[in-house]
Amino acid sequence: MKTKDAIAKAILPDANQAQTQAKGSAFAPSNIALIKYWGKRNETLHLPVTNSLSVSLGHLGCHTVCGHSDSPELQVIHNKAPADPSSPLHQGILKYFHLLGLNPNHCQINIDMNIPMAAGVASSACGFAALICALNDWHGWGLNQRELSILARLGSGSACRSLWQGFVEWERGEREDGMDSYASPLTTQWDDLCVGIVQTSTESKPIGSREAMRQTMATSKLYQQWSAQVIKDLTNMKAALQKKDFEAFGSIAESNAIAMHATMLDATPPIDYSNELTKCVKEQILQLRQDGVLCYFTQDAGPNVKILFLKKDTTHIEQIFSKILIAHPFKSG
Ligand code: PMV
């Protein structure tokens, strides 16, 4: 079986060909899956059991700058503050440098994120996507988007979708080495689409997605059913996108998220990412819908709730959820 570093080596140009600049920088948006990725066919290479489809969050994401540092060790600055070398962020970057075969010494990585980390708002996705693009810029590797998507995937699966704005599909691929498992953007634009994030906790998640996926696949009786459902949901979602049928779009995304969480609840021991506030927000959304406001929820591996709605309902949504953070995936500028 291929290892991650062997895959990275196959993609990266020879170190002698690299044209390192003074600095490299990149922005990558956070992405929220509408049709979720939950389960790996290869754990080491982060190869998924099914395709998945996401929407990127416009200006919400991660801006990363890489450059030389006088300090002999890797320095990671997160939102203007030095990250502790023992922190998961610092350790995660160090591991990623090693898998890319890069020397982390004398490197400084500046990360600015405008989304909360580790609470199910896909911070690792935009983090790894921004990092690989900034490294590509810094070292002048000249990699294309597909190669960057594969390398981002090696950091965190869903990161391979954060290379683009808009709707993005990640192909599961068939190959064992994962060279055909990458994302690509869809052409559909949906100017009125809004994604709201309601933060219900600032704490780190009790169980990471990696372990939770493993536990679900190994023990949930619903897993087979889930992976078959994803294929149907994906087909129906693409049809809804083509027709810009918001009711179908929202219902498919919502039921896909409910099915993913049901599969986790069926695991042994059960995995429940929701807290009391999560449940309360979801009930409020169902109530709003009964009152005639078309809005739907989705939830990832964390307690925060994302709300899908159309621009015309913004005031109404803001009145109910006063602290909501709203992304406009298709707004330019
Ligand atoms: O890429 P990971 O390991 O953070 O897993 C992401 C899993 C979900 O966010 C729950 C679903 C998805 O497709 O993003």
Side-chain angles (χ1 to χ4, degrees), residues 31-33 35-38 40 52 122 124-125 156-159 161 170 205 209-210 213 260 264 299-301:
N31 79 77
I32 298 297
I35 305 297
K36 311 285 187 195
Y37 141 60
W38 198 252
K40 298 183 193 350
S52 56
S124 67
S156 155
S158 55
R161 299 185 308 236
W170 174 12
K205 36 194 175 188
S209 55
R210 187 165 307 186
M213 276 188 210
M260 178 182 76
M264 289 190 223
Q299 182 190 353
D300 293 301

Side-chain angles (χ1 to χ4, degrees), residues 33-39 41 47-54 161 168-174 180-184 186 226-227 229-235 238 256:
L34 302 165
I35 305 297
K36 311 285 187 195
Y37 141 60
W38 198 252
R41 64 183 174 87
L47 299 177
V49 173
T50 59
N51 287 19
S52 56
L53 193 150
S54 60
R161 299 185 308 236
V168 178
E169 181 173 3
W170 174 12
E171 291 276 344
R172 75 186 284 282
E174 301 298 330
D180 57 353
S181 183
Y182 48 80
S184 48
L186 306 188
W226 152 258
S227 51
Q229 187 60 40
V230 167
I231 297 170
K232 291 182 201 153
D233 285 351
L234 195 64
T235 307
K238 284 182 178 169
N256 184 268

